[in-house]
Amino acid sequence: MLYLFLAIFFNAYLIVALKAVERFRIPVLQAIVFNYITCVVTGTIVNGAFPITANPPESSWFWWAVLMGTLFISLFNLIGFTAQRISVSVASVANKLSLVIPFAFSIYLYGEAASALKIIGLIIALVAVVATCMPSAKEGDRATARLSPALRLLVPAVLFAGSGLLDTLIKYVEQNFLNSTNSDAYLITSFATAAAIGSLVLIGLVLSGKQKFVPSSIIAGVLIGIPNYFSIWGLVKVLQLYPGNSSAIIPINNMGIILVSTLAAFFLFRERLSTINRVGIALTVVSIALIAFG
């Protein structure tokens, strides 16, 4: 389960890192673009070669990689927006409440067993997500002041649907197209797509004068990009090692991310934990145990 622990730790690190980017006044888009460039470089080193020329667009997984890369850059920017404009906790709940979507697809598409313990664990997980990430009254007031009521509804809804689709897509492609010889190439292509889209947008903003280039965003991108690559790499590896068990792996991954990122936000950014937040953390541990052993 080392790969799963790596995926959880690095994903939680990403959410916290996006909050830190704001503290250093680094434009989040710039950090995200250089993050994906770093992911391509990291993956190329891990893979031993740059795979796109060796695996042309005719490869069965290529367009799935393009779709995943598009989701990467879109959701990462949305998570960054939510973490900075509302809070780390709200970004986490909006992103990871979507665990119900890949769980349902794993049961429906792959016929994985849905034991009573797993279902109870999932229900507890949904309660735990809301309880753990429920903002304090002060934090809620900040969110109300910064976002219109329509956006406060739209942002979590888009994150919920997009994150659930991404998790489901990772499992679908791993199940149908990937093996030990092409999984690194698939990931690098996905990250290269995200880097290309983000770079075009960033160049347009800089040339139009809407954004000024900040050199420190390169450093931020490197510090985010290396863990980002291994967060997805670890999840793909654990899905390959434990086939037929994604209905447990993905919820455990998501709940673990919520637990670690919430505790990190408490210790690093002094985001207050209310009584209901503490109850949510306890329920998170219970839900992980039920889903894991169910």
Side-chain angles (χ1 to χ4, degrees):
M1 284 293 176
L2 175 62
Y3 292 125
L4 183 57
F5 288 127
L6 288 175
I8 290 171
F9 176 80
F10 286 137
N11 265 294
Y13 168 86
L14 296 178
I15 295 175
V16 175
L18 287 173
K19 184 74 172 181
V21 162
E22 179 192 29
R23 298 291 176 91
F24 289 99
R25 298 183 178 180
I26 298 172
V28 66
L29 176 61
Q30 295 184 29
I32 289 174
V33 169
F34 286 108
N35 140 74
Y36 283 121
I37 294 173
T38 302
C39 285
V40 174
V41 175
T42 302
T44 300
I45 294 172
V46 171
N47 188 60
F50 188 64
I52 297 180
T53 55
N55 295 276
E58 287 76 14
S59 299
S60 59
W61 47 261
F62 180 82
W63 292 109
W64 292 107
V66 171
L67 175 59
M68 193 161 95
T70 304
L71 286 172
F72 276 160
I73 189 72
S74 303
L75 290 174
F76 214 157
N77 275 285
L78 196 55
I79 291 170
F81 173 84
T82 307
Q84 293 185 352
R85 295 290 297 275
I86 305 177
S87 75
V88 169
S89 296
V90 173
S92 186
V93 66
N95 187 25
K96 296 308 174 185
L97 191 61
S98 62
L99 62 89
V100 68
I101 297 177
F103 179 89
F105 270 93
S106 294
I107 302 301
Y108 177 74
L109 290 179
Y110 310 118
E112 295 184 12
S115 66
L117 283 180
K118 270 189 181 180
I119 294 174
I120 293 172
L122 182 67
I123 294 171
I124 293 176
L126 296 177
V127 176
V129 169
V130 176
T132 302
C133 303
M134 183 173 290
S136 65
K138 183 179 180 180
E139 191 174 49
D141 290 342
R142 288 203 305 268
T144 302
R146 294 180 180 183
L147 294 178
S148 68
L151 278 178
R152 291 201 309 274
L153 292 175
L154 181 61
V155 169
V158 173
L159 269 180
F160 174 85
S163 298
L165 175 61
L166 180 59
D167 285 341
T168 303
L169 177 64
I170 290 173
K171 171 58 185 174
Y172 176 78
V173 176
E174 180 276 324
Q175 179 93 3
N176 293 281
F177 301 102
L178 301 186
N179 52 54
S180 59
T181 64
N182 65 9
S183 59
D184 286 329
Y186 172 79
L187 289 179
I188 296 170
T189 305
S190 299
F191 288 127
T193 300
I197 294 173
S199 296
L200 289 174
V201 173
L202 179 57
I203 290 170
L205 289 174
V206 172
L207 291 178
S208 64
K210 294 181 179 179
Q211 194 167 121
K212 184 179 179 180
F213 174 66
V214 178
S216 56
S217 63
I218 299 175
I219 298 174
V222 172
L223 294 176
I224 295 172
I226 296 174
N228 190 13
Y229 177 84
F230 285 107
S231 70
I232 304 298
W233 179 84
L235 181 58
V236 170
K237 290 296 183 184
V238 77
L239 287 171
Q240 291 177 334
L241 288 172
Y242 297 93
N245 205 25
S246 62
S247 60
I249 291 171
I250 292 177
I252 291 172
N253 178 65
N254 287 2
M255 294 306 295
I257 293 167
I258 290 170
L259 179 62
V260 175
S261 62
T262 300
L263 291 176
F266 171 73
F267 288 110
L268 296 177
F269 302 120
R270 300 293 185 240
E271 289 194 1
R272 296 181 180 179
L273 291 177
S274 64
T275 300
I276 193 169
N277 295 152
R278 298 174 193 272
V279 170
I281 291 174
L283 289 176
T284 297
V285 176
V286 172
S287 69
I288 289 174
L290 289 175
I291 294 171
F293 296 106

